[in-house]
Amino acid sequence: MSKKKTKKTKVEKSGVEKITAMSEEVQGKSEEELKKTEKEQQKQEEKQEEKQGEPENTQGISGEIQQESEKKPEETGAAQEEAESAVEASEPEESETKEKTKKPGGKAKWVVLGIVLILLISVSGGYAGMAMYYRTHFFPGSTVNGMDCSNMEAVEIAELVDAQINTYCLQVLGRDHATGESAALIGEIVPGDISLSYIDSLGGVESILAEQDEWKWVQAYIAWNLNGQSLYDYSLVQGVQFDEDKLKGTVNGWAACIKKNMQKPQDAYISEYSDEISGYQVIPETIGTELDLDKVLNCISSAIYAKQDAVDLEQELCYIGAKITQTDARLTDLVETANTWLGTEITYDWNGNEVVLDIETLKDWIVMEEDGPTLDEEAVKSFVKAQAKNYNTYGKKKKFVTALGVELTLDSPNYGWRTDTEAETEELIQLIYQGSVTDREPVYSVTAREKGSEDIGSDYIEADLTHQHLYVHEAGQIVFETDFVSGMTNIVPSRATPAGIFGLTYKTRNATLRGADYASFVNYWMPFYGNYGMHDATWRRDFGGTIYQSHGSHGCINLPLASAEVIYDYVSTGFPVICYYYEVDPLEPPAETQMPSEEELQAQEEPVIGQGTEEPGESIP
């Protein structure tokens, strides 16, 4: 570097000396020409005097002058031409005396002009010489990247610029590999670690210098030396270069960049059921400290090229993140679904009993599996069945107090509350999936008149089969009663009217009851248990007593037409019909009382009324 600097300085001094020599050469030539001009003028004057004295020789003298001029055209050059012009200008038409008086003044003029010319040439030569100097040097007061470079060559500035990089340091920030704390100092990069240097500083400085107009050195000199003003402040933007292998080695040596020190991130996941929040939640991912080293090197390289003082690897996304985060749409949807189901709250009126289904039960039915929440539908079905078992009254034995005040326990083969477990299970499952909050009754396949275990209520039909007497109860009071004939019990026991608590199936008018060998028209048909029912029997004249025992119906309750009409108006679908026999007749005479003889019974037998027989309950409207 010093050799180049010395060489350039010598070249510049040679240029100044050359200009000075040229100036001196011009001055020398001018003095010679002036002297020649004076000699020529003297010759001209002498010739002029000879011409005036000897006019006949004027031609000859002119010829000699002309010949003399032709002989040495090259010797006089530009000075001869100037002399001739001066002679022509000085030839007056006045006398020789006047011409002689003016000659000394003309010579002085040319001497002054010559001196001025010499001075101008000297000054211009010095100005040009300084311009030549500032072609390779910076003007006074010039700066490059803040450094004073007055009167310095490009190579000197380049050395100073190169030295500036030695102060560079890049701080690399990120997560502490042990604690995970952000913005921790992971390592530092200094020039010596990676052989960092500027690219072609000399070329950059020379480019700046080339833009300098050397002819403006006077303005720069005056501005700096007189006013202290710098007219030329330059900023050199340079590229850098470094050894990538050394950078990789340096980075891989940092504790945070050693694989065994890195903590892998953990994906977000769904928690177990939590009593604290009454549901499920997404457990956030753990970020870890695992670095993508390729990204790290690229990030640090970019920072060095940009001459940054610091770079944060976390902000530059150099850490390997969890694949599944807390905001993952699938996880949040699954949690929302499960919690929606858990939010279900159904308050049942289950045959007059309050049953609440809420999270305390649901949390055991809803399980979070890998594919998402699942509802144990079998558990739902079991729940419905359990409630039905608890609160169904259909088919269960019930206590009943007769009109005679006797408490009986009766079956209810088709009366009471019966839950439709399949239908209710399906509806409940759908309500859970919707997260419903509602009050409801279950789906029933059979209903009774009143809710609760005492579901007969205060409106019902009571048929005392032992005494063949029927009561109509309304609001707990007997409002109508009548005798009837029920199914035969003695001759064909299978035709006996069944005992129990029943619900009216339906009622209809003008029906034909058909059996295997009969078809009986009735005005009022009111079935209550299969083909067993109540109807008018216009073919009978007598009702009540013991007719039923030997001459009873096929199982139906035969009523007088008028009674059937009254009862028909009272009853409706589901209306309770209670039929019973007393095991111990509360109206029987004392044991010692003698029963009528067979002959007496035959004498009291009623004639057969109606033609043919009947099958209970079959009808064609």
Side-chain angles (χ1 to χ4, degrees):
M1 297 292 287
S2 59
K3 288 182 180 179
K4 292 181 180 178
K5 178 178 178 181
T6 303
K7 185 176 179 181
K8 286 191 176 182
T9 303
K10 288 180 179 180
V11 171
E12 290 170 358
K13 287 181 178 179
S14 300
V16 174
E17 291 171 355
K18 187 175 180 181
I19 292 172
T20 305
M22 290 175 64
S23 299
E24 292 175 351
E25 185 179 351
V26 171
Q27 290 175 351
K29 287 184 178 180
S30 300
E31 290 175 358
E32 268 182 35
E33 289 174 354
L34 286 172
K35 289 178 179 179
K36 286 182 179 180
T37 303
E38 289 177 355
K39 288 180 180 181
E40 291 296 329
Q41 287 178 347
Q42 289 178 358
K43 288 181 181 180
Q44 290 292 334
E45 289 174 356
E46 291 175 357
K47 289 179 180 180
Q48 186 67 26
E49 291 175 355
E50 291 176 357
K51 185 178 180 181
Q52 290 177 354
E54 298 176 4
E56 66 275 5
N57 294 329
T58 302
Q59 185 175 357
I61 293 170
S62 298
E64 287 177 2
I65 294 171
Q66 183 176 0
Q67 187 176 0
E68 184 68 20
S69 299
E70 288 175 356
K71 282 181 181 181
K72 296 183 180 180
E74 296 177 358
E75 293 180 1
T76 56
Q80 179 66 33
E81 292 177 358
E82 290 179 2
E84 290 176 354
S85 299
V87 171
E88 291 175 358
S90 63
E91 286 180 353
E93 294 180 358
E94 297 180 359
S95 61
E96 185 179 344
T97 305
K98 288 183 181 181
E99 288 176 0
K100 287 181 180 180
T101 304
K102 291 181 181 179
K103 281 179 187 178
K107 289 179 180 181
K109 178 180 179 182
W110 285 107
V111 170
V112 172
L113 288 174
I115 292 170
V116 171
L117 180 61
I118 291 169
L119 291 174
L120 289 174
I121 291 172
S122 298
V123 172
S124 55
Y127 179 80
M130 292 300 290
M132 290 291 291
Y133 174 79
Y134 283 113
R135 182 172 295 176
T136 58
H137 293 71
F138 282 92
F139 287 154
S142 299
T143 64
V144 174
N145 290 354
M147 296 183 297
D148 183 13
C149 56
S150 300
N151 301 312
M152 297 176 70
E153 291 182 292
V155 66
E156 296 175 281
I157 301 304
E159 289 175 356
L160 294 175
V161 169
D162 285 334
Q164 282 185 321
I165 204 167
N166 294 327
T167 61
Y168 177 75
C169 177
L170 174 65
Q171 288 190 327
V172 181
L173 308 178
R175 299 173 191 160
D176 186 277
H177 69 280
T179 65
E181 181 184 358
S182 297
L185 180 63
I186 289 178
E188 292 182 332
I189 299 293
V190 295
D193 293 339
I194 59 174
S195 299
L196 180 66
S197 64
Y198 286 124
I199 299 174
D200 192 17
S201 298
L202 180 58
V205 175
E206 288 177 340
S207 296
I208 293 175
L209 187 58
E211 296 176 2
Q212 179 176 277
D213 186 354
E214 63 270 24
W215 299 102
K216 295 182 178 180
W217 65 268
V218 174
Q219 295 96 309
Y221 185 88
I222 293 171
W224 177 247
N225 287 281
L226 298 183
N227 300 328
Q229 180 183 4
S230 176
L231 300 179
Y232 301 94
D233 294 319
Y234 302 101
S235 177
L236 178 60
V237 180
Q238 295 170 270
V240 295
Q241 58 189 0
F242 56 87
D243 189 319
E244 293 183 356
D245 291 334
K246 288 184 178 181
L247 175 63
K248 184 175 181 181
T250 299
V251 171
N252 288 341
W254 295 341
C257 296
I258 297 174
K259 284 288 185 182
K260 68 178 182 179
N261 294 335
M262 297 180 186
Q263 298 176 14
K264 290 185 176 295
Q266 183 179 0
D267 289 342
Y269 62 95
I270 298 174
S271 70
E272 297 294 329
Y273 175 81
S274 170
D275 288 322
E276 293 182 3
I277 64 170
S278 298
Y280 294 89
Q281 62 182 334
V282 177
I283 303 301
E285 71 281 2
T286 56
I287 57 177
T289 59
E290 186 178 12
L291 284 163
D292 183 335
L293 292 178
D294 289 336
K295 270 190 177 180
V296 170
L297 290 171
N298 289 335
C299 179
I300 293 176
S301 295
S302 298
I304 293 172
Y305 286 130
K307 300 172 190 159
Q308 295 176 217
D309 294 328
V311 61
D312 192 322
L313 299 182
E314 186 170 11
Q315 293 179 1
E316 297 298 329
L317 307 178
C318 292
Y319 286 90
I320 296 175
K323 294 180 181 178
I324 302 174
T325 65
Q326 187 178 16
T327 58
D328 181 79
R330 177 177 174 275
L331 290 187
T332 54
D333 286 347
L334 294 179
V335 167
E336 183 178 353
T337 298
N339 289 340
T340 296
W341 298 355
L342 288 167
T344 300
E345 187 173 330
I346 298 174
T347 303
Y348 277 103
D349 176 359
W350 215 307
N351 185 22
N353 299 278
E354 183 179 85
V355 177
V356 178
L357 175 64
D358 58 15
I359 194 168
E360 292 302 316
T361 302
L362 292 168
K363 67 182 181 180
D364 297 326
W365 295 357
I366 298 168
V367 179
M368 186 64 70
E369 297 182 349
E370 185 176 351
D371 295 332
T374 59
L375 174 65
D376 187 346
E377 295 185 359
E378 286 299 317
V380 178
K381 187 175 182 180
S382 297
F383 169 81
V384 173
K385 285 184 175 181
Q387 306 314 310
K389 183 179 179 180
N390 290 336
Y391 304 117
N392 279 358
T393 59
Y394 183 89
K396 294 182 178 180
K397 291 183 179 295
K398 298 179 176 66
K399 300 289 186 179
F400 177 74
V401 178
T402 69
L404 299 179
V406 178
E407 184 180 80
L408 303 175
T409 300
L410 301 173
D411 290 329
S412 57
N414 76 338
Y415 182 81
W417 294 93
R418 183 171 71 179
T419 304
D420 187 336
T421 56
E422 290 188 4
E424 180 57 27
T425 297
E426 185 59 34
E427 288 203 20
L428 180 54
I429 287 171
Q430 295 306 315
L431 289 172
I432 293 172
Y433 286 150
Q434 296 166 13
S436 298
V437 177
T438 185
D439 296 337
R440 68 178 272 103
E441 289 190 59
V443 179
Y444 295 109
S445 57
V446 180
T447 59
R449 297 291 289 185
E450 296 288 338
K451 289 182 177 179
S453 58
E454 303 295 330
D455 55 7
I456 295 172
S458 57
D459 297 340
Y460 55 89
I461 300 294
E462 179 183 348
D464 182 347
L465 298 174
T466 299
H467 301 111
Q468 297 287 286
H469 197 73
L470 183 146
Y471 306 91
V472 176
H473 293 262
E474 184 179 42
Q477 301 295 320
I478 297 173
V479 295
F480 179 77
E481 53 187 298
T482 182
D483 289 335
F484 61 85
V485 176
S486 62
M488 187 182 299
T489 59
N490 291 347
I491 299 174
V492 186
S494 62
R495 288 168 57 177
T497 301
I501 301 173
F502 308 100
L504 195 71
T505 308
Y506 65 90
K507 67 178 185 177
T508 188
R509 294 286 312 275
N510 303 322
T512 299
L513 309 180
R514 298 181 184 280
D517 55 358
Y518 72 91
S520 300
F521 175 81
V522 298
N523 294 282
Y524 303 97
W525 172 230
M526 295 166 281
F528 55 81
Y529 182 51
N531 290 331
Y532 296 97
M534 299 178 290
H535 61 77
D536 58 287
T538 54
W539 56 86
R540 289 186 184 274
R541 248 192 346 255
D542 297 315
F543 299 88
T546 59
I547 297 172
Y548 74 101
Q549 294 178 355
S550 300
H551 301 282
S553 69
H554 285 78
C556 288
I557 294 177
N558 291 177
L559 296 166
L561 178 61
S563 297
E565 180 181 5
V566 173
I567 294 170
Y568 188 90
D569 289 339
Y570 270 106
V571 301
S572 59
T573 300
F575 201 86
V577 178
I578 298 97
C579 303
Y580 58 87
Y581 297 93
Y582 285 109
E583 291 183 4
V584 177
D585 189 347
L587 299 181
E588 281 186 347
E592 64 273 9
T593 303
Q594 295 294 322
M595 296 293 293
S597 65
E598 183 66 25
E599 291 80 9
E600 290 175 337
L601 291 174
Q602 289 179 356
Q604 296 176 23
E605 183 177 346
E606 294 290 335
V608 177
I609 53 177
Q611 303 296 320
T613 59
E614 59 174 312
E615 286 294 335
E618 293 192 17
S619 65
I620 299 177

